[in-house]
Amino acid sequence: MPKIFLKKNFKGKTVIVTGHTGFKGSWLTLWLISLGAKVIGISSNVPSNPSNFKILNIKRKIINKNIDIRNLKKLKNVFKIYKPNYVFHLAAQSLVKESYIDPTYTFETNSIGTLNVLESLKSLKNKCTAILITSDKSYKNLEITRGYKEDDILGGSDPYSASKASAELIIKTYVKSFFKRNNKILIGIARAGNVIGGGDWSNDRLVPDCVKSWSKDNSVKIRNPKSTRPWQHVLEAVGGYLIFAIRLNKNKKLHGEAFNFGPSTKQSYNVIRLVKSMKKYWKKVSWKIIKKGGNKFFESNLLKLNCHKANKILNWKSILSFDAIVKMTALWYSQYYSKPKNILSISLSQIKDYEKLMNKKL
């Protein structure tokens, strides 16, 4: 497998990123900017406060479009004007709890929004490679210990999961119905699991809950201390998307394929282990475990992805240890709360360090 030259593949390219104001989207956008890409970001809002997007001042470095992906006419017009070489679709309603509160918005954004991206791709005349990001929760949850494989059954026990599984069915339908003979548009499906890292302030997520509480010297409330998750740093997932796009652009046989991006199956740790590991990097840390019955919504105890396909075909693998993931995440937040003006240089430094590691280990 040839070496990955990110800059060579993205420098000067026009890239549309939907959901660029979100946690993963802002990291992907910053990385693309550092590679010399011309980025057009599409989002309807800034989903959190604080916001990684605002902290890094990304708006000034890109063409920023305030568009709801449910609006097909406006979305298609952006594609028509900018004629992207690459598209990364991350825009979504990404919270399970919120999907119970507003299932209609969740399905409209995650399912119909994805359909609108596909319609916009269908209208293009130029060559374009698109990576559509769904979720590990697209799989029907059977608590499989071996990890879910790409050909396992899709499903959903909550509106969020079902909306993502629905999006996948829409993608596969479009690939077979409209893009099968279209040699210009190449589509890939990416599924990633629990991603952590600096700059996430989403509600009802473990790491953001921890740092928000600890920065105020409060105890963090933990719902499911024994729930196991395949913790992965945001740069691992985003790096996987970039590699996937490069491989797909050069190999049409990957068109329509889905790939999992997650850590080794040996690197799954429970919630309390993560909290205790972060403790090393904070002066004052405390937590309070909420008794069962406090959570009205369904949450799986075990979520794990089998990433053998990405290892074999894309030459991608998770390269950070659990301790390295925790350290990078905790140090980013501690820097933000102590020296916020330095956070852009810290973020770029983490990207560059990870790039060097990719070139060495992949």
Side-chain angles (χ1 to χ4, degrees), residues 18 31 63 93 99 105 116 123 144 150 178 190 219 256 266 268-269 286-287 337:
T18 73
W31 200 337
I63 297 170
Q93 192 301 99
S99 77
Y105 174 74
N116 288 344
S123 69
I144 297 174
E150 286 82 355
F178 304 111
S219 293
K266 296 177 182 178
S268 290
Y269 297 93
S286 61
W287 57 86
Y337 284 110

Side-chain angles (χ1 to χ4, degrees), residues 133-145:
I133 288 86
T134 59
S135 171
D136 62 340
K137 294 180 179 67
S138 298
Y139 294 107
K140 183 175 182 180
N141 196 296
L142 302 172
E143 305 281 334
I144 297 174
T145 55

